[in-house]
Amino acid sequence: MERADFIHLVRLSEHASAEDSRAYRRHVAMFATLGYLWVVGCFVLALSLLVVVGQAIVQGHFRAGYVWLLLAAVGLFWSSLRSLWCPMEAPEGETLTAADAPVLFEALERIRKKIKGPPIHHVRLDGNFNASISQQPRWGLFGGAVNHLTIGLPLLLAVDRPRFLAVMAHEYGHLRGEHGQFAAWIYRTRLSWMKLEHSMRHDGGLAAVATQAFLRWYFPRFLARTFALARQDEYEADRIAGKLLGPEVAGAALTEIAIKGDWMASKFWPLHWAAAADNTQALGPFTAMRKLLSLPPDSDFARDALRQTLQQISDVDDTHPVLRDRLEALHVKAGLPAWSTQPALDLLGARASHWLTHFDQQWCRNNTTDWRLHHNYLNRVRTRVALLTTSLARNNANEMVELGDLHRRLGAQNQARTCYEQALQRTPGHAAGLRGLVQCLEAGDNHLLRLDCLGQLFEHSQAYRWWACHMAVQTFEKRVAAGEPLDAELKLWRARLKQADEAEARAMAEITDTPFFHAITRHDLNEFELGELLAGLTRCKPVWRAWLVSKTLKEFAYRRCYLLFLDLPGMEDEDRYHLCRSLERSLDLPGMVLVLWAGHSPTLKDIQKHAYTPVYTRAIA
């Protein structure tokens, strides 16, 4: 199905849901039943063929054509059986029991009773900054389900108890009442069809080919028709969290998690991996995370992260609404929350320290090879620094910028600043030198120099214009908040940022609206830029392989733009979507990037054919 057709069907489902919710749910149930009828019909047909052929053989009427009919019947029977019995793996994580964390289980039981929900059969703890509730079908497409609640240890470190319980109420809200059970059934059905389609993708049997043809027609239409239901379910789960803990608590939890999630991706993990420069053995992150997540984020970072998050628009790639829409539905005003001061880790009781140590050790085991590779990369950075330092007097501006970038990669901000200043002495107005110097200047540190550099970037570098506006607005907002009379300057830069945002939106529209492999070339990253990309991909465990290409834009020929294709095996599409959006914000590339995963469009085969050779392949320990 073409993307435009998919979007059209999604919009139709949203309109149908808004006009008559009951009728919409009936139509969804009928369309879901169609899929079950296909599977049952194929199963009955296969059994009938087997019976007919068996009777013929028993009665002595065997013919050569029966061999083909028998093979077709067996193939169809096997294909139908796979469809009916499509096992789903239990989520990963360490099992928690009421004896391990009695306070946590008591809180979960109170939530269950208040919303009159079904029991949670298993509670698990993992190392992700997230929480989720999932249902594992007992008997494939038919039968009940086992409820699994997975809690991320970083989430317990990041928010206080009321906000954490608001998250638990949201997750539990997906299972409440008849509507919740219906939405959960639809969600399980979506996962089952997705797993079936993936498992049969490379099956060449005649019966499998017929099922694949049906799935190609049915599955995207099922996703589109159930999209509005899935999004409604998210709003309803938020409403339940707001009802139990209060809308302000639920809204503050959503906002704090969004901001601290951005901080984890863009600040904490780069800082943690930078420790590989002086440590050959991997260091566990969770003990350090415990201390840092209990501190308020930097105010500039928090304001900027919130501003960018609130600019996001809900789209058809994810059933989760964006933060702005969720806060509006809760009738909560968007803004920075009062930060959590007492993390919810105490819900784990006396074994909290045990779990920190356990996940630290587990992380070190899982990342030993990548840590060693990153240590070697940072040693190569040091070697390049030493080489450029010996030719310091002869270096041109580009080489001085490269040296500054390398120093910054090693955390030597003062040396980096000196290099950028020397680059600007040798070539005044050098765009990369100006950008590097701004990055070395704190917002309150010589703000006149910082603003002068940003002004030069805006005037002379179209490629860095949006970034210059973004940084200038951030600087002026802080100074205006401190009481300085700079409202006119802030207004000017906000107007510039608005124009730059519009240009960025047009550029992104051109990237997304044109065929993925149109007007692409091999990437143009230098050794340092490629090293930065590889360092970021190394930190992202789900990435198995990656391809990077440059894309030429008609309207913005001066821009460095990229497409990054990822092989993300073993993940659901919604998780892949969130990971790609997160990488777009956290990866340090010298231009706009659109991150895509190998799936229906583009397929892994298309990527391998058109995107040249992989720039990254995860090492196997």
Side-chain angles (χ1 to χ4, degrees):
M1 177 184 288
E2 296 293 332
R3 180 174 174 81
D5 295 330
F6 180 82
I7 294 174
H8 178 65
L9 282 179
V10 169
R11 300 305 179 219
L12 289 178
S13 75
E14 290 175 335
H15 289 312
S17 176
E19 289 179 1
D20 190 338
S21 179
R22 290 181 179 273
Y24 165 71
R25 287 174 177 266
R26 286 197 301 270
H27 291 152
V28 168
M30 292 171 60
F31 197 75
T33 303
L34 175 63
Y36 285 80
L37 289 176
W38 166 268
V39 174
V40 174
C42 289
F43 185 75
V44 172
L45 177 60
L47 283 178
S48 301
L49 290 175
L50 289 173
V51 170
V52 170
V53 174
Q55 287 178 343
I57 294 175
V58 170
Q59 295 172 2
H61 301 306
F62 183 78
R63 299 177 183 177
Y66 284 169
V67 174
W68 300 107
L69 190 60
L70 180 63
L71 291 175
V74 170
L76 184 60
F77 179 81
W78 175 243
S79 175
S80 303
L81 196 62
R82 287 172 62 185
S83 302
L84 290 170
W85 178 259
C86 189
M88 304 288 290
E89 296 80 11
E92 296 181 354
E94 303 297 325
T95 300
L96 287 175
T97 66
D100 293 325
V103 179
L104 172 64
F105 277 78
E106 289 170 6
L108 294 176
E109 180 62 15
R110 286 197 299 272
I111 293 174
R112 187 194 70 79
K113 288 181 178 179
K114 287 182 178 180
I115 67 174
K116 300 178 181 178
I120 294 177
H121 301 101
H122 300 284
V123 179
R124 301 176 188 275
L125 187 68
D126 68 10
N128 298 317
F129 188 61
N130 194 19
S132 62
I133 202 160
S134 57
Q135 293 191 304
Q136 182 185 17
R138 297 180 188 271
W139 314 110
L141 284 176
F142 296 99
V146 179
N147 299 323
H148 297 267
L149 173 64
T150 304
I151 300 170
L153 181 60
L155 184 65
L156 288 163
L157 299 172
V159 296
D160 59 25
R161 185 181 295 193
R163 294 177 187 180
F164 172 78
L165 294 179
V167 176
M168 294 299 98
H170 169 94
E171 296 302 329
Y172 222 139
H174 290 301
L175 305 179
R176 83 283 169 225
E178 293 183 3
H179 284 185
Q181 293 172 12
F182 178 72
W185 172 65
I186 291 295
Y187 182 72
R188 292 199 306 272
T189 304
R190 291 176 67 166
L191 292 182
S192 297
W193 285 121
M194 191 179 300
K195 185 173 179 63
L196 177 64
E197 190 274 338
H198 187 269
S199 67
M200 301 185 69
R201 187 173 296 172
H202 303 295
D203 197 331
L206 180 62
V209 169
T211 301
Q212 289 168 11
F214 172 75
L215 288 177
R216 282 195 298 272
W217 175 85
Y218 178 79
F219 185 56
R221 288 167 175 79
F222 180 76
L223 291 181
R225 289 172 184 265
T226 58
F227 185 91
L229 177 67
R231 180 159 287 177
Q232 282 179 356
D233 192 52
E234 293 297 331
Y235 283 123
E236 180 65 13
D238 281 345
R239 186 190 68 80
I240 289 174
K243 181 179 180 181
L244 294 186
L245 279 301
E248 294 296 335
V249 172
L254 291 171
T255 305
E256 184 167 16
I257 290 169
I259 294 172
K260 288 189 173 178
D262 278 349
W263 178 84
M264 290 277 291
S266 61
K267 300 295 183 181
F268 175 80
W269 286 115
L271 180 66
H272 183 73
W273 280 90
D278 300 310
N279 296 275
T280 57
Q281 299 297 320
L283 303 177
F286 294 98
T287 300
M289 198 183 295
R290 178 182 191 176
K291 177 181 178 181
L292 294 175
L293 279 176
S294 65
L295 302 174
D298 175 75
S299 58
D300 288 335
F301 175 87
R303 280 194 297 269
D304 182 58
L306 179 61
R307 187 180 68 84
Q308 292 191 52
T309 302
L310 293 176
Q311 287 178 344
Q312 296 173 0
I313 299 174
S314 298
D315 57 29
V316 299
D317 292 313
D318 184 15
T319 57
H320 288 80
V322 296
L323 177 63
R324 180 182 60 186
D325 294 342
R326 298 176 76 173
L327 293 178
E328 288 179 357
L330 288 169
H331 304 291
V332 174
K333 183 179 179 181
L336 293 178
W339 303 109
S340 298
T341 56
Q342 183 65 36
L345 184 65
D346 59 355
L347 286 170
L348 296 182
R351 289 175 59 83
S353 296
H354 160 78
W355 289 119
L356 287 169
T357 302
H358 171 83
F359 282 102
D360 271 338
Q361 294 173 346
Q362 183 184 81
W363 192 93
C364 290
R365 289 194 301 270
N366 294 341
N367 290 274
T368 296
T369 300
D370 292 333
W371 187 275
R372 185 171 63 250
L373 291 173
H374 193 58
H375 172 79
N376 294 337
Y377 160 68
L378 293 177
N379 280 341
R380 292 194 298 272
V381 170
R382 284 175 167 170
T383 301
R384 179 62 175 165
V385 166
L387 179 63
L388 288 173
T389 302
T390 59
S391 60
L392 200 61
R394 301 189 304 274
N395 290 347
N396 58 33
N398 289 335
E399 290 168 329
M400 291 307 302
V401 168
E402 181 187 356
L403 182 57
D405 290 342
L406 294 171
H407 276 306
R408 195 157 50 84
R409 184 71 190 88
L410 295 172
Q413 291 290 101
N414 292 333
Q415 293 94 318
R417 175 175 176 174
T418 300
C419 292
Y420 296 133
E421 289 171 342
Q422 291 185 22
L424 292 171
Q425 290 172 4
R426 298 173 192 191
T427 303
H430 191 281
L434 290 168
R435 187 176 191 270
L437 182 56
V438 170
Q439 289 175 312
C440 290
L441 296 170
E442 296 295 333
D445 176 24
N446 201 342
H447 70 278
L448 294 178
L449 175 59
R450 179 185 174 92
L451 291 171
D452 178 62
C453 292
L454 292 172
Q456 292 184 59
L457 267 180
F458 178 83
E459 293 295 336
H460 303 299
S461 176
Q462 290 182 315
Y464 291 126
R465 181 163 290 178
W466 177 86
W467 186 86
C469 294
H470 166 74
M471 297 301 293
V473 167
Q474 185 183 92
T475 301
F476 278 113
E477 282 181 342
K478 182 174 182 179
R479 304 196 72 81
V480 169
E484 297 187 32
L486 298 171
D487 298 87
E489 290 84 351
L490 176 58
K491 182 178 180 180
L492 171 63
W493 278 102
R494 279 178 172 169
R496 290 175 171 177
L497 179 59
K498 182 180 179 181
Q499 294 177 346
D501 278 336
E502 293 171 352
E504 291 290 303
R506 294 197 303 273
M508 182 57 73
E510 186 174 346
I511 292 177
T512 55
D513 293 345
T514 57
F516 295 130
F517 304 107
H518 174 72
I520 63 171
T521 59
R522 294 182 183 274
H523 73 80
D524 59 356
L525 301 188
N526 60 35
E527 184 178 356
F528 172 77
E529 292 167 340
L530 181 58
E532 290 289 279
L533 172 64
L534 297 182
L537 293 175
T538 298
R539 295 191 293 267
C540 188
K541 297 298 294 183
V543 177
W544 191 250
R545 284 180 294 176
W547 296 257
L548 182 73
V549 298
S550 296
K551 188 172 182 69
T552 303
L553 304 181
K554 287 185 178 180
E555 188 175 353
F556 305 93
Y558 57 87
R559 294 293 305 272
R560 295 175 73 180
C561 296
Y562 303 95
L563 294 177
L564 179 64
F565 301 102
L566 302 179
D567 184 12
L568 302 170
M571 295 183 69
E572 304 297 343
D573 279 351
E574 285 195 5
D575 295 329
R576 288 170 172 151
Y577 172 85
H578 285 298
L579 178 63
C580 289
R581 303 293 78 76
S582 175
L583 288 174
E584 286 173 354
R585 295 191 298 270
S586 62
L587 288 177
D588 190 7
L589 283 167
M592 179 181 292
V593 60
L594 176 65
V595 183
L596 303 163
W597 70 87
H600 293 287
S601 178
T603 64
L604 181 59
K605 185 177 180 180
D606 290 336
I607 295 170
Q608 292 173 322
K609 180 179 179 180
H610 298 290
Y612 309 105
T613 57
V615 296
Y616 173 78
T617 301
R618 181 164 297 279
I620 302 176

